Amino acid sequence: MEFGLVLFFLFLTAAMLMVAAKTIRVVPQSTVMIVERLGRFHKLADSGLHLLIPFIDKPRGVLWQGTAPAFSIDLREQFLDMPLQSAITKDNVHIVVDAVVYWQITDPLKSVYEVVDLIGGIVQLTVTGMRSVMGDMDLDQCLSSREEINGKLRLILDEATDKWGVKVLRVDVKNINPPEDVRVTMEKQMTAERNRRALVLQAEGERQAAITRAEGEKQAAITKAEGSKTSAILRAEGAAKARLLAANAEAEAI
């Protein structure tokens, strides 16, 4: 009898704990929880303590690509580090692209009920968006127009994910890597361009030096000529004064 009573109390305690676990829910800060009643949407629970009706109310679970199962939806800004993706440029060069997408959920209901896997959907949209944008550019444009690519990708993703309740804040393309043979060729071209610029600068320096020397020689010749002219004038003036003094002396002697 006593053993049966103990089992009864143990069963009752376990049942009460199970009911309490299904009744009391705490939603963390900056997250929300979708509550369904008998399989249909009932309410959106924000951060804090919430009481549910056991076996009738149920939090909607969320399982997205690369995340653990959860009952709350994070409303903070999040980032998605994309795996390396291949693309083909307008001039048929195969490149490997590394990018990061920064996004934020603005409508939790759409993010759960409008798409099966939100993060998986963002990944696929980013892949197709990168291939589309870079397919309209040649390799040189891709390497030199990083900001333009980021802006176009953000607009494409933001428009496509709006129906999922997501705002794409920015996209950062970190690396664009061409094939090894193309990279070696580009490095050779860059080296040749640097050498050409060095030769141009050297020639320009020599030209400026020659001009400076010529200007100096010209100025020296002008200065010398002016000096000779001044000396001749001074000698002539001196001779004239001497003759004048001699004439005055003779006149006084007479």
Side-chain angles (χ1 to χ4, degrees):
M1 182 66 179
E2 292 181 357
F3 180 72
L5 187 61
V6 171
L7 287 179
F8 173 75
F9 278 112
L10 289 176
F11 175 78
L12 182 61
T13 301
M16 291 177 63
L17 290 175
M18 184 176 65
V19 171
K22 291 183 174 294
T23 301
I24 302 173
R25 291 285 180 171
V26 177
V27 181
Q29 181 69 31
S30 301
T31 64
V32 294
M33 181 178 66
I34 295 177
V35 179
E36 295 179 338
R37 176 167 291 178
L38 299 177
R40 300 182 61 182
F41 171 73
H42 174 57
K43 69 174 182 177
L44 189 65
D46 55 7
S47 57
L49 179 66
H50 296 271
L51 299 178
L52 307 182
I53 301 176
F55 308 106
I56 295 179
D57 292 342
K58 180 182 178 182
R60 173 64 182 257
V62 176
L63 179 59
W64 293 331
Q65 177 179 315
T67 63
F71 291 105
S72 59
I73 301 172
D74 200 330
L75 300 181
R76 296 173 297 178
E77 179 179 343
Q78 304 179 61
F79 70 91
L80 180 60
D81 195 353
M82 292 289 298
L84 295 176
Q85 298 296 327
S86 62
I88 301 177
T89 62
K90 189 176 182 179
D91 48 351
N92 293 322
V93 178
H94 290 261
I95 57 177
V96 177
V97 186
D98 183 14
V100 179
V101 180
Y102 296 86
W103 57 283
Q104 187 174 21
I105 294 176
T106 57
D107 190 331
L109 297 182
K110 289 183 178 180
S111 69
V112 172
Y113 291 118
E114 296 295 331
V115 59
V116 175
D117 182 358
L118 178 62
I119 294 181
I122 295 175
V123 169
Q124 294 304 315
L125 286 175
T126 304
V127 171
T128 56
M130 284 194 300
R131 290 175 178 173
S132 174
V133 171
M134 296 183 182
D136 291 335
M137 297 180 172
D138 57 32
L139 179 60
D140 289 339
Q141 287 177 309
C142 290
L143 295 175
S144 61
S145 306
R146 196 76 58 90
E147 290 300 324
E148 181 181 351
I149 294 173
N150 292 341
K152 288 183 177 180
L153 278 175
R154 193 199 69 80
L155 290 176
I156 291 173
L157 294 178
D158 190 44
E159 181 179 354
T161 58
D162 181 65
K163 62 182 179 181
W164 297 342
V166 170
K167 176 69 176 177
V168 176
L169 304 174
R170 62 188 183 279
V171 179
D172 290 335
V173 175
K174 297 189 294 184
N175 296 299
I176 300 176
N177 299 317
E180 183 65 20
D181 56 340
V182 176
R183 186 184 63 80
V184 171
T185 302
M186 292 174 60
E187 289 179 353
K188 290 181 179 179
Q189 290 177 346
M190 292 173 62
T191 301
E193 180 64 18
R194 284 195 295 267
N195 293 336
R196 185 189 69 81
R197 291 181 180 179
L199 291 174
V200 170
L201 291 175
Q202 181 180 356
E204 181 65 19
E206 292 176 353
R207 188 179 73 86
Q208 290 295 334
I211 292 174
T212 302
R213 286 195 300 270
E215 288 291 337
E217 292 173 357
K218 176 182 176 182
Q219 191 63 37
I222 292 173
T223 302
K224 182 178 180 180
E226 289 180 348
S228 299
K229 176 182 177 182
T230 302
S231 297
I233 292 173
L234 291 175
R235 286 196 298 271
E237 290 179 349
K241 288 182 179 180
R243 288 194 297 271
L244 180 60
L245 291 174
N248 290 335
E250 290 178 359
E252 290 177 356
I254 296 174

